[in-house]
Amino acid sequence: MIGIYDSGLGGLTALSEARAIMPDTDFIYFGDTAHLPYGTRSESAIIRYAREALSFLGDKGVDAVLCACGTVSSVALDEVKNDYPFAVMGVVEPAARAAVMASRKQKIAVSGTSATVKSDVFRKKILELSPNAEVISVGCDLFVSIVENGFANDMPIATEAAKRYLSGLSDCDTLILGCTHFPLLSEAIRRVLPQITLISSGKEGARSLVKYKKKETGKTEFYLSDTGGSFASMARVFLGYGISPIKKL
Amino acid sequence: MIGIYDSGLGGLTALSEARAIMPDTDFIYFGDTAHLPYGTRSESAIIRYAREALSFLGDKGVDAVLCACGTVSSVALDEVKNDYPFAVMGVVEPAARAAVMASRKQKIAVSGTSATVKSDVFRKKILELSPNAEVISVGCDLFVSIVENGFANDMPIATEAAKRYLSGLSDCDTLILGCTHFPLLSEAIRRVLPQITLISSGKEGARSLVKYKKKETGKTEFYLSDTGGSFASMARVFLGYGISPIKKL
């Protein structure tokens, strides 16, 4: 069984991909909706939330956890990953690798939350893989709220936000969506940067899980830390089928 | 000393008003930035956060606390207000009273977070005061993130969001801004509803504090539950002077 952990809905971009490539594997999804959005929290808070999530998923018996959250992957992963008896993986390295492979000019843009950009780990990872790459990072915190509040396909709002955050990136040929919420804004992002190649960090992270593939029942359980928001209805839109998330105690 | 409690920046609308009318009174402001935004949290989570905040402010020695947060005032106030040795006040009753007094047609709109709208307490309070009033309530969760992320004066984004949420309200003559973040969006709201009278729940709540006025030193202390976001820089824009918020342990 593989755990997928995000602050909210964003990790569903990773779950969809993971289920498509491993249909017989069991998954458990945890959305930390009580603490969402992570991107403007302090490093110490994000590390604390990550430890709580990993302990919870560990108790459920996972073989591996993908931190399908750019903020956790950037800010907390190195701090926590060796403290559990299962593999703890992130989205930074797979996304950085995919971007370096996709970019012709090696001019790569990274979009993420403020906490992700501040951590600078996407840039460092890209430069490890491609020392002459040029990297521009942009914090796009409002994107998370736009997705979580159901405005991802509301073009005036989503496109205006994308313009504000991304219009300076037209010189780059590749953009890492370094927060797993951002692929839901792909249409708006493409309106602002029509030529750019988009790299979904959630999708790339999911592909790195394939070594934990198992012949199981193919079921997925969903847990949330708070059920006040619209996760279930939004997840239906996103996944194409209804789910009944369970509140983690 | 008077405590002012909000999930984040919004309560500054109340603090400004309270300081203007009680310049010699000491204030302590607590923004629960670790749990922001409240509006999409469950009732049980909001009540728990409110109890933590009130205990913290009680330990600091307050005579009264204004819950300068529409969500707390709507969802948690009745549950918690009698459990403390100081007065615990909210913004619903003062704002409802001001709206009933301001409205000629008694067609009153209420904007707030989803949690506030779901609680229905603004409508109930208005109908107590004016049984024949017509009340329309609208949940506007994205407004909070727009303010917290510094887009309140970005007219394309703020106005598009205001259109989406508020354009059905043109028959009302009075709009309660039932979340203390919303007055920061007044310009965008006026573009969508140019004729409407806006009632700031924070300002009305602040006016109800006047009986706790004291001859003190006139200082204000600021505490946050997490310092990862941009509270200090946003507060400077809003208040017109710099502050150094302290992290609550």
Side-chain angles (χ1 to χ4, degrees), chain B residues 31 91 96-97 168 191:
Chain B
V91 299
R97 191 173 296 278
R191 289 191 184 194

XYZ file of all heavy atoms in Angstrom, chain B residues 31 91 96-97 168 191:
42
model
N -3.635 37.129 15.834
C -4.023 36.584 14.528
C -3.639 35.113 14.473
O -2.459 34.773 14.604
N -18.987 40.137 16.244
C -19.312 41.198 15.288
C -20.704 41.048 14.682
O -21.161 41.939 13.971
C -18.250 41.267 14.157
C -16.865 41.573 14.732
C -18.215 39.990 13.326
N -25.424 43.450 12.354
C -26.830 43.272 11.989
C -27.637 44.517 12.353
O -28.467 45.006 11.576
C -27.397 42.036 12.694
N -27.370 45.050 13.549
C -28.072 46.264 14.001
C -27.778 47.448 13.071
O -28.693 48.178 12.660
C -27.614 46.576 15.436
C -28.432 47.635 16.149
C -28.002 47.727 17.631
N -28.271 46.505 18.350
C -29.472 46.173 18.875
N -30.493 47.008 18.757
N -29.631 45.045 19.510
N -25.417 38.920 -8.039
C -26.845 38.648 -7.846
C -27.518 39.491 -6.769
O -28.702 39.297 -6.483
N -17.332 48.512 -7.256
C -17.400 48.473 -8.726
C -18.534 47.562 -9.195
O -19.110 47.768 -10.249
C -16.081 47.978 -9.308
C -14.986 49.019 -9.148
C -13.760 48.648 -9.947
N -12.707 49.625 -9.675
C -11.614 49.758 -10.391
N -11.403 48.963 -11.430
N -10.703 50.665 -10.090
